[in-house]
């Protein structure tokens, strides 16, 4: 008789008022974390109504992870070299040759400490609070309610990180004999008074988080699986708290497996509300995501003892140029006048397209240097003729194009990974656990400005294509990573310790961060579920700010009008929902759609296409060569309520979405045509 222990992972419903995200119980199967793919039917339980934010039974992995899994199970293909070993001597030599080339090409690199400085004492905390949306904590401009609205969404560990910054800021003010802001205890006590009661939920979170962290970590520590589970329903800093507590037990100290340099397949269990990618949220909500991500990353780095000090770049004279040495934001602003909605520099798009056509199969691409004389002439020619369209790309060899790509990245006035976070990206190499490395990288990607993030994504997608053609170009993941790491992590605007210490160790660590960015880019460009929940909570609190002014007044209103606020009944078995259909900026039509527990976004879109695009005769569809009919690429958007605008994942369970945001509207419209990358 086979005994099966069942565990279910779930988050607290969005309507619950709490500090830490709540996770209920875990449903664990004996083979779930041992690399064996169980049939989906084993995971499904159709005899109960699921929670709006419960983990889906279907894990989600990036396309690269799926390909890696197929290769791992294929008896015909041997494991790739980069998946089994550390970088060989040739890779390490290439790393230091690239460093030497960069130093020779940038004479100012050795003088970078003159161009960059740490912020003065107190400046960093003040800037941090401003970036986190908490500048009102140290000024008299905002009211207590402004502070409470954001603080109400934070977990306990996140709030402690804010408090540490306030303490540090207060101490620095006193050293300068300046009047300190309000005492930090007053700020948090007033905020706690205004916040909903959450102590009970907090205790539940600590208990349930322990059960969540215990299962995947203990399985990983036993060493067998080549599969890692990335839980995004719990704040990353709270997961670190549980991990640190577990590490203190003697029985856990000897269970860590020896690192062998391989990268496992990472699976992210998909929430019933689907996966949210960076491009799926509105700019307003993304601003809130960045604020919350900064708080969580700071709390996480505090726990992991990772340095997050920022650098301020000095003023440098920017040479008169149209392509190279131009700030990304300026370059895109100029190019959007020529081609609206451009999100990635046109020059970079053309260069990557050339490399994909002619370079990915070229042996030693990125490693074999181009001719310095030709590269200089090509740069001058590009500056003069690129935008006029007179530049002939056919005359550019793959190796020269690769050298131009690396030079374009190095010559940016500010690092592609930004001066603020470049050293934090580099510090990821000192984190031991893969899961925590991915947590920090995920939050750092969210913190990048949009031009930098889009450009980085386009670069990583190209590098991934190079790695995929390893058998032809002889460039595996380690080789590509060791070549590209110095180009991203060395910059004259920010002092770096990359070249300090033991050569082999520094090369491995820097390349390791680079290969994580390449290998797991699809996962890193998603927004964790806990951040989406916090944004929803933040929007809800902002929409009912009056409740934060006076708790006694709120309680009085409840007594006078106990039924004034109608709460929708959750988990109805059937629900008729109106969906708007938008063409351009105008809502042209609407339709009714019956929801059930298992209805997904893909079902509604399929119904929409059947109803409105029945045949190509009406001009709404196009006939493919095989005789099938293609339809416009439409998507379902969630608009309003506790979210700004949210492009829904095709696997979103719509009844759960309604329960999570009953005040939102659903709109079907064409997907925005973004440029290459994101």
């Amino acid at each position: 008789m086979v005994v099966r222990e069942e565990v279910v992972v779930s988050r607290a419903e969005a309507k619950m008022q709490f500090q830490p995200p709540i996770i209920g119980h875990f449903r664990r199967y004996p083979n779930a974390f041992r690399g064996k793919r169980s049939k989906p039917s084993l995971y499904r339980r159709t005899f109960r109504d699921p929670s709006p934010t419960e983990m889906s039974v279907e894990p989600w992995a990036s396309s690269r992870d799926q390909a890696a899994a197929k290769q791992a199970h294929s008896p015909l293909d041997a494991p790739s070299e980069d998946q089994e070993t550390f970088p060989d001597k040739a890779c390490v030599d290439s790393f230091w040759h690239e460093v030497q080339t960069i130093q020779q090409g940038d004479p100012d690199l050795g003088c970078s400490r003159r161009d960059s400085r740490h912020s003065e004492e107190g400046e960093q905390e003040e800037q941090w609070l401003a970036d986190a949306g908490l500048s009102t904590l140290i000024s008299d401009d905002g009211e207590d309610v402004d502070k409470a609205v954001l603080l109400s969404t934070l977990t306990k560990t996140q709030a402690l990180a804010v408090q540490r910054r306030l303490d540090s800021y207060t101490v620095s003010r006193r050293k300068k004999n300046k009047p300190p802001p309000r005492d930090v205890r007053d700020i948090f006590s007033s905020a706690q008074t205004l916040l909903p009661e959450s102590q009970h939920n907090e205790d539940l979170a600590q208990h349930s988080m322990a059960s969540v962290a215990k299962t995947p970590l203990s399985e990983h520590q036993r060493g067998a699986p080549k599969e890692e589970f990335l839980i995004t329903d719990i704040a990353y800093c709270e997961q670190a708290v549980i991990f640190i507590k577990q590490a203190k037990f003697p029985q856990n100290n000897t269970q860590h497996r020896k690192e062998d340099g391989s990268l496992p397949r990472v699976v992210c269990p998909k929430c019933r509300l689907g996966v949210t990618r960076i491009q799926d949220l509105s700019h307003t909500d993304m601003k809130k995501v960045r604020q919350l991500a900064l708080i969580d990353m700071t709390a996480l780095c505090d726990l992991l003892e990772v340095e997050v000090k920022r650098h301020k770049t000095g003023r440098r004279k920017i040479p008169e140029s149209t392509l190279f040495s131009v700030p990304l934001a300026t370059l895109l602003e100029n190019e959007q006048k020529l081609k609206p909605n451009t999100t990635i520099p046109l020059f970079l798009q053309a260069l990557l397209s050339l490399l994909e056509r002619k370079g990915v199969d070229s042996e030693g691409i990125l490693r074999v240097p181009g001719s310095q004389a030709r590269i200089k002439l090509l740069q001058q020619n590009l500056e003069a003729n690129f935008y006029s369209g007179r530049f002939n790309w056919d005359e550019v060899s793959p190796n020269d194009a690769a050298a131009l790509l690396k030079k374009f990245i190095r010559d940016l006035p500010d690092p592609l990974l930004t001066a603020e976070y470049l050293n934090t990206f580099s510090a990821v190499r000192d984190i031991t656990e893969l899961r925590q490395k991915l947590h920090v990288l995920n939050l750092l990607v969210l913190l990048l400005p949009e031009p930098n993030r889009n450009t980085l994504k386009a670069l990583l997608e190209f590098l991934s294509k190079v790695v995929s053609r390893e058998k032809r170009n002889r460039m595996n993941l380690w080789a590509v990573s060791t070549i590209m790491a110095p180009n991203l992590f060395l910059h004259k605007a920010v002092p770096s310790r990359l070249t300090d210490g033991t050569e082999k160790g520094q090369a491995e660590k820097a390349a390791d961060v680079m290969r994580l960015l390449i290998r797991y880019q699809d996962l890193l460009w998603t927004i964790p579920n806990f951040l989406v929940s916090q944004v929803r909570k933040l929007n809800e609190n902002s929409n009912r700010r009056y409740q934060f002014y006076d708790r006694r007044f709120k309680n009085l209103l409840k007594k006078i009008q106990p039924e004034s606020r109608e709460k929708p009944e959750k988990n109805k078995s059937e629900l008729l929902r109106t969906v708007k259909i938008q063409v351009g900026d105008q809502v042209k039509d609407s339709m009714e759609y019956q929801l059930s527990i298992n209805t997904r976004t893909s079902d509604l879109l399929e119904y929409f296409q059947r109803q409105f695009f029945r045949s190509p005769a009406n001009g709404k569809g196009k006939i493919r060569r095989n005789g099938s009919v293609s339809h416009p690429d439409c998507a379902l958007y969630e608009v309003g309520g506790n979210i700004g605008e949210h492009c829904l994942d095709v696997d979103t369970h719509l009844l759960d979405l309604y329960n999570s945001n009953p005040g939102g509207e659903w709109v079907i419209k064409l997907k925005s045509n973004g440029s290459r990358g994101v």
Side-chain angles (χ1 to χ4, degrees):
M1 176 178 175
V2 179
V3 179
R4 185 174 68 187
E5 182 183 359
E6 296 188 345
V7 198
V8 176
V9 184
S10 64
R11 279 185 321 207
E13 298 177 3
K15 295 296 177 184
M16 294 180 65
Q17 296 178 342
F18 63 97
Q19 280 189 339
I22 306 298
I23 291 205
H25 17 295
F26 229 74
R27 189 186 335 165
R28 191 185 70 192
Y29 294 89
N31 297 326
F33 297 98
R34 293 188 173 88
K36 297 181 180 180
R37 303 286 300 276
S38 301
K39 295 181 180 180
S41 60
L42 295 177
Y43 289 87
R44 290 198 176 104
R45 295 173 69 182
T46 58
F47 52 83
R48 65 174 183 83
D49 292 341
S51 165
T53 54
E54 181 183 328
M55 285 271 186
S56 171
V57 294
E58 301 171 359
W60 174 78
S62 68
S63 57
R64 295 169 181 80
D65 285 325
Q66 293 170 358
K70 291 179 181 179
Q71 184 177 5
H73 291 288
S74 174
L76 300 177
D77 296 330
S80 175
E81 180 184 353
D82 62 77
Q83 288 295 311
E84 295 299 330
T85 63
F86 288 106
D88 56 19
K89 185 178 184 301
C91 289
V92 176
D93 291 343
S94 298
F95 175 90
W96 292 109
H97 181 270
E98 194 73 17
V99 170
Q100 186 178 8
T101 302
I102 295 172
Q103 291 174 336
Q104 291 175 349
D106 294 322
D108 295 334
L109 191 63
C111 305
S112 59
R113 297 185 185 276
R114 293 181 302 180
D115 299 328
S116 172
R117 65 179 180 87
H118 283 296
S119 303
E120 292 183 8
E121 194 172 8
E123 282 186 10
Q124 290 218 17
E125 289 76 10
E126 185 175 1
Q127 184 61 47
W128 186 92
L129 289 167
D131 292 345
L134 292 168
S135 57
T136 55
L137 292 179
I138 57 175
S139 67
D140 296 329
D141 299 335
E143 299 178 355
D144 283 344
V145 64
D146 297 318
K147 305 158 188 172
V149 167
L150 179 54
L151 293 175
S152 65
T153 68
L154 303 183
T155 69
K156 182 178 180 180
T157 307
Q158 290 172 347
L160 289 174
V162 175
Q163 188 164 351
R164 280 191 293 271
R165 267 67 199 169
L166 283 169
D167 288 337
S168 178
Y169 178 78
T170 302
V171 170
S172 65
R173 296 274 293 190
R174 286 172 179 165
K175 287 182 179 179
K176 296 178 181 179
N177 295 323
K178 294 182 180 180
R182 288 181 57 190
D183 189 277
V184 65
R185 291 168 295 182
D186 296 336
I187 293 173
F188 275 88
S189 62
S190 62
Q192 289 294 334
T193 303
L194 293 165
L195 297 182
E197 294 139 351
S198 57
Q199 186 61 43
H200 176 64
N201 292 328
E202 207 173 293
D203 295 338
L204 286 175
Q206 292 291 342
H207 174 73
S208 55
M209 275 166 39
S211 64
V212 170
K214 198 177 296 181
T215 302
L217 288 175
S218 59
E219 293 287 346
H220 172 67
Q221 289 165 356
R222 279 197 281 268
K226 290 292 183 181
E227 192 170 80
E228 186 87 23
F229 276 71
L230 193 69
I231 305 299
T232 66
D233 278 28
I234 313 171
Y236 292 155
C237 63
E238 302 294 349
Q239 294 188 45
V241 170
I242 299 302
F243 180 84
I244 292 171
K245 287 181 179 179
Q246 285 187 323
K248 294 180 179 179
F249 292 105
Q251 62 268 27
N252 292 333
N253 293 336
T254 58
Q255 290 180 351
H256 292 276
R257 67 184 176 92
K258 184 178 179 181
E259 180 62 50
D260 61 359
S262 62
L263 292 179
R265 174 176 179 260
V266 174
V267 176
C268 182
K270 183 179 280 192
C271 166
R272 288 183 64 85
L273 296 182
V275 174
T276 302
R277 296 167 179 83
I278 289 176
Q279 65 270 27
D280 291 342
L281 290 185
S282 64
H283 289 287
T284 303
D285 284 336
M286 272 306 300
K287 181 180 178 181
K288 298 170 184 176
V289 166
R290 291 186 66 187
Q291 293 172 346
L292 292 163
L294 175 59
I295 296 173
D296 194 68
M297 187 205 70
T298 305
L300 178 58
C301 289
D302 286 350
L303 291 167
L304 301 178
E305 299 181 353
V306 173
E307 184 179 3
V308 290
K309 286 187 177 180
R310 301 180 177 190
H311 286 269
K312 299 185 75 173
T313 55
R315 293 184 179 180
R316 298 184 307 277
K317 183 179 179 181
I318 298 177
E320 295 182 2
S321 173
T322 57
L323 290 177
F324 292 82
S325 302
V326 180
L328 271 179
T330 304
L331 189 61
L332 285 170
E333 184 180 351
N334 295 334
E335 291 184 342
Q336 285 171 354
K337 298 174 183 177
L338 304 174
K339 185 178 180 181
N341 301 322
T342 298
T343 60
I344 296 164
L346 299 175
F347 163 70
L348 185 62
Q349 293 184 44
L351 190 60
L352 293 177
S353 297
L354 172 69
L355 284 167
E356 288 175 9
R357 292 196 313 270
K358 299 169 57 176
V360 291
D361 291 334
S362 178
E363 184 172 345
I365 189 65
L366 297 173
R367 183 177 61 217
V368 178
S371 167
Q372 293 298 320
R374 285 198 309 269
I375 292 169
K376 187 174 181 179
L377 289 175
L378 284 171
Q379 181 178 347
Q380 294 173 352
N381 194 1
L382 282 164
E383 296 280 5
N385 299 316
F386 175 73
Y387 288 112
S388 63
R390 296 195 300 267
F391 183 80
N392 186 4
W393 285 101
D394 294 333
E395 298 177 355
V396 183
S397 69
N399 291 332
D400 288 346
L404 284 171
L405 171 64
K406 293 186 285 186
K407 183 172 178 55
F408 174 79
I409 295 170
R410 293 195 306 265
D411 286 357
L412 290 172
D414 294 308
L416 181 59
L417 302 179
T418 71
E420 291 83 359
Y421 301 115
L422 179 60
N423 281 343
T424 310
F425 271 99
S426 299
V428 170
R429 64 182 187 262
D430 297 322
I431 299 174
T432 304
E433 288 293 319
L434 171 64
R435 188 184 322 225
Q436 292 172 344
K437 288 182 179 181
L438 295 179
H439 288 171
V440 175
L441 287 175
N442 187 196
L443 297 172
L444 283 170
V445 166
L446 294 175
L447 288 171
L448 291 176
E450 188 173 355
N452 299 61
R453 188 170 58 232
N454 293 341
T455 302
L456 177 62
K457 187 66 166 69
L459 174 65
L460 295 177
E461 286 180 347
F462 164 70
L463 297 179
S464 180
K465 292 175 183 177
V466 173
V467 174
S468 68
R469 309 300 288 268
E470 172 193 347
K471 292 183 179 179
R472 296 191 178 188
N473 58 36
R474 306 296 182 184
M475 294 293 289
N476 62 18
L477 184 56
W478 271 119
V480 172
S481 300
T482 52
I483 288 293
M484 293 305 299
N487 292 279
L488 258 70
F489 296 126
L490 277 180
H491 197 278
K492 56 189 174 184
V494 179
S496 173
R497 293 176 297 182
L498 184 63
T499 56
D500 297 341
T502 307
E503 288 192 358
K504 187 175 186 298
Q506 291 299 323
E508 287 176 0
K509 288 182 177 180
D512 183 53
V513 179
M514 191 71 224
R515 70 183 188 133
L516 292 179
L517 288 170
I518 298 172
R519 177 73 169 83
Y520 299 116
Q521 56 182 281
D522 289 346
L523 290 173
L524 298 178
W525 259 256
T526 60
I527 302 175
N529 295 333
F530 75 88
L531 285 181
V532 177
S533 296
Q534 286 184 303
V535 169
R536 290 184 184 275
K537 185 69 176 176
L538 182 57
N539 290 334
E540 287 176 358
N541 292 345
S542 298
N543 293 338
R544 46 190 178 89
R545 292 163 58 89
Y546 72 92
Q547 294 188 10
F548 286 83
Y549 280 103
D550 194 330
R551 291 283 301 278
R552 292 171 298 176
F553 178 69
K554 183 177 69 173
N555 293 334
L556 180 62
L557 284 179
K558 284 184 177 180
K559 292 180 180 179
I560 298 175
Q561 298 175 327
E563 302 297 331
S564 60
R565 186 184 175 196
E566 297 181 0
K567 294 184 179 180
E569 184 182 350
K570 294 188 176 183
N571 286 331
K572 292 180 179 179
S573 58
E574 299 289 338
L575 178 70
L576 191 64
R577 183 73 168 154
T578 301
V579 182
K580 296 181 179 180
I581 302 168
Q582 180 173 322
V583 179
D585 295 331
Q586 302 292 326
V587 176
K588 296 293 185 181
D589 208 340
S590 63
M591 67 178 189
E592 302 288 333
Y593 190 76
Q594 192 79 24
L595 302 181
S596 66
I597 293 176
N598 296 318
T599 303
R600 304 188 186 202
T601 300
S602 56
D603 300 325
L604 191 151
L605 291 175
E606 185 179 350
Y607 175 81
F608 164 72
Q609 290 178 349
R610 288 200 308 269
Q611 295 296 315
F612 289 84
F613 302 108
R614 293 177 181 174
S615 70
N618 56 16
K620 296 181 179 179
K622 295 182 180 180
I623 300 180
R624 298 190 183 98
R625 291 182 180 179
N626 60 6
S628 62
V629 180
S630 65
H631 301 297
D633 191 11
C634 297
L636 180 63
Y637 289 79
E638 171 194 13
V639 182
N642 57 26
I643 205 77
E645 182 176 276
H646 180 198
C647 181
L648 298 176
D649 183 51
V650 292
D651 290 326
T652 299
H653 289 70
L654 294 179
L655 190 59
D656 300 295
L657 177 70
Y658 171 76
N659 292 332
S660 179
N661 185 17
E665 295 183 333
W666 295 353
V667 180
I668 295 177
K669 59 181 180 179
L670 291 175
K671 285 185 179 178
S672 57
N673 294 323
S675 297
R676 178 195 182 116
V678 178

